[in-house]
Amino acid sequence: MVSLLTEQAKQDRFWRAIVSWAIFLTAETTTQIVFKVAGADLDLDAGLSPMLAHAIASPWVWAGFGLYFVDFLLWMLILKESDLGRAFPLSSLVYVTSLIAAVTLFHERTNLIRIIGLLTIMAGVAVLSADENTETQPPSPSGRGPASQHQDSH
């Protein structure tokens, strides 16, 4: 019975992680798309002050900032359940999703060098996140590392 519960907990954690990452990558890619659209209306040639005034009045800019805040919250939730050393490399998958969005939505061109770069990123992510035996240990209340490693010297 305990083994079944442990296996179910592992499966639940796995699917929760998959969904969290899918939402995070979608939100982060959407943020980049929104800023691309917002930036298309900005004109630095008009001067910094008019450009800033236009940016402040732009709903696209505000949507981008709102999405950045959502990204921040999602990132904190991911880090709550993941090792930073494993999670941070996975966040680079946004380079892949952003390039796909750039090509499909904005008809930007890509080339062999970019494709090789994306494949390199994906290979790096696979290598850095492949160690399934590393368990996430909660930080100690003092924030100095895993709770199990700290003993009071009193």
Side-chain angles (χ1 to χ4, degrees), residues 129-151:
S129 62
D131 181 14
E132 295 180 13
N133 296 322
T134 304
E135 292 292 325
T136 301
Q137 295 183 12
S140 70
S142 67
R144 296 181 307 205
S148 63
Q149 292 180 356
H150 295 288
Q151 302 290 329

Side-chain angles (χ1 to χ4, degrees), residues 5 16 19 25 29 31 38 42 60-61 66-67 90-92 107 109 123 125 127 133 136 149:
L5 289 175
R16 198 169 46 244
V19 169
L25 291 171
T29 303
T31 301
L42 299 181
W60 286 106
V61 171
L67 283 167
L90 281 170
S91 71
S92 66
H107 309 289
R109 293 187 178 203
V125 166
V127 169
N133 296 322
T136 301
Q149 292 180 356

Side-chain angles (χ1 to χ4, degrees), residues 53-71:
H54 182 75
I56 289 170
S58 170
W60 286 106
V61 171
W62 287 106
F65 282 130
L67 283 167
Y68 258 148
F69 183 71
V70 169
D71 295 339

Side-chain angles (χ1 to χ4, degrees), residues 66-123:
L67 283 167
Y68 258 148
F69 183 71
V70 169
D71 295 339
F72 167 72
L73 294 175
L74 291 168
W75 184 240
M76 286 191 308
L77 291 173
I78 286 171
L79 290 179
K80 179 180 176 184
E81 299 290 327
S82 305
D83 291 331
L84 179 61
R86 182 177 291 163
F88 193 70
L90 281 170
S91 71
S92 66
L93 289 175
V94 78
Y95 295 122
V96 176
T97 58
S98 293
L99 182 61
I100 292 168
V103 169
T104 57
L105 298 175
F106 302 113
H107 309 289
E108 294 180 10
R109 293 187 178 203
T110 190
N111 57 35
L112 182 60
I113 296 297
R114 285 187 183 177
I115 300 298
I116 291 170
L118 285 181
L119 293 173
T120 302
I121 289 169
M122 293 170 66

Side-chain angles (χ1 to χ4, degrees), residues 39 41-52:
D41 288 339
L42 299 181
D43 182 15
L44 187 57
D45 292 337
L48 184 60
S49 293
M51 185 189 75
L52 288 174

